[in-house]
Amino acid sequence: MLAAQLIKEISGLVKVFGKDKNVKVIFEGEKAFTDGEKVVLPEISLSNYLTQRKVAAIRGLVDHECGHIRHTDLESMTVAHKKINSEYISFLLNVVEDCRIDRKVSNEMPGAAINLNQ
């Protein structure tokens, strides 16, 4: 699949899976995250041909970040991270929340489990 095709697909998916149809999708850097108003995904070149595994992995990132938009109290998480005086504990909090989100999204959308495993 061409990256340009996947990018178009993802823009539609974020609108469907996210709570707010105004959520923006940005491809930059190397990490995936959301602040509830935008989903940032790793940068990919529009002309790249992506393997099925890479497509599934990117879809998994979308499913995961949209799961945060739907189910994580992002404001409370931000406050918690600011109050925690330990990078280690802050990291663990994020790991636990990520695991919770992946399970919740997999239960809601069984097809997402395949993507999340990538």
Side-chain angles (χ1 to χ4, degrees), residues 19-30:
K19 285 182 181 177
D20 185 346
K21 294 189 183 234
N22 293 322
V23 175
K24 295 177 183 163
V25 181
I26 300 168
F27 291 87
E28 67 181 21
E30 297 179 4

Side-chain angles (χ1 to χ4, degrees), residues 1-116:
M1 170 182 267
L2 278 173
Q5 293 170 304
L6 182 62
I7 288 169
K8 184 176 180 181
E9 172 191 313
I10 286 170
S11 296
L13 287 174
V14 168
K15 289 178 182 176
V16 171
F17 294 152
K19 285 182 181 177
D20 185 346
K21 294 189 183 234
N22 293 322
V23 175
K24 295 177 183 163
V25 181
I26 300 168
F27 291 87
E28 67 181 21
E30 297 179 4
K31 295 183 180 185
F33 62 91
T34 186
D35 64 4
E37 295 178 13
K38 67 181 176 286
V39 171
V40 178
L41 298 168
E43 186 174 341
I44 53 177
S45 172
L46 292 175
S47 61
N48 279 3
Y49 183 82
L50 305 173
T51 65
Q52 284 300 101
R53 184 177 174 127
K54 181 82 169 183
V55 169
I58 293 169
R59 286 177 178 152
L61 292 173
V62 171
D63 294 344
H64 177 84
E65 297 309 329
C66 287
H68 279 303
I69 292 171
R70 294 172 63 90
H71 301 296
T72 299
D73 183 341
L74 295 168
E75 186 177 329
S76 293
M77 287 293 283
T78 299
V79 169
H81 283 291
K82 286 180 181 175
K83 287 186 176 186
I84 294 171
N85 197 17
S86 165
E87 279 187 47
Y88 179 72
I89 304 242
S90 189
F91 173 79
L92 286 177
L93 174 62
N94 200 51
V95 168
V96 169
E97 179 61 7
D98 282 350
C99 291
R100 184 184 79 84
I101 288 303
D102 286 353
R103 182 183 306 242
K104 194 155 186 74
V105 169
S106 293
N107 288 338
E108 283 179 341
M109 301 175 289
I114 295 166
N115 297 333
L116 290 167

